[in-house]
Amino acid sequence: MKKNTIGVIGLAARARGIVIGTNNVLEAIRSGKAHLVLIASDVSDNTKKNLTDKSAYYSVKSEQIDITTAELGKAVGHSHSAAIAFTDKNFVIAYEKSLSGGKES
């Protein structure tokens, strides 16, 4: 499941269907472009609170995933990344399918 999830994130990055990094994610949330925010498992409490509070205020779904900043960064072509936001709804659907093992709900 984790491999499928990282694959979907990598595909979305190559297709430019996500924004990468805390500041870019916050800007996407404020501008209404973010559909889902994913937060790495090992981010600081302050960063997590900042992202979740901003997401909640703007009614954007956010979740902390079982992927480290290093793994998330590698998936999107960076050394480390604390958070990403999907800006394409189709990749949100693909991400949710990857969590269920690719099965239709």
Side-chain angles (χ1 to χ4, degrees):
M1 182 169 67
K2 187 174 182 179
K3 186 176 179 180
N4 291 341
T5 301
I6 289 174
V8 169
I9 293 169
L11 181 62
R14 289 187 296 280
R16 300 181 195 268
I18 61 172
V19 292
I20 304 163
T22 306
N23 291 334
N24 292 334
V25 169
L26 291 170
E27 180 56 36
I29 293 168
R30 282 191 289 267
S31 67
K33 294 178 182 175
H35 299 291
L36 172 64
V37 174
L38 300 181
I39 305 166
S41 61
D42 58 345
V43 297
S44 70
D45 291 339
N46 188 40
T47 300
K48 180 181 175 185
K49 181 179 182 343
N50 195 7
L51 288 164
T52 55
D53 287 355
K54 189 69 69 175
S55 295
Y57 182 81
Y58 285 95
S59 300
V60 175
K61 183 178 175 186
S62 68
E63 58 186 67
Q64 190 161 17
I65 55 176
D66 188 29
I67 297 174
T68 65
T69 56
E71 292 170 325
L72 187 57
K74 184 177 179 183
V76 298
H78 291 253
S79 61
H80 290 81
S81 183
I84 64 164
F86 287 102
T87 56
D88 185 324
K89 288 182 183 180
N90 292 318
F91 284 115
V92 174
I93 294 166
Y95 166 76
E96 290 171 349
K97 282 184 183 176
S98 78
L99 295 178
S100 64
K103 298 175 184 169
E104 294 289 328
S105 332

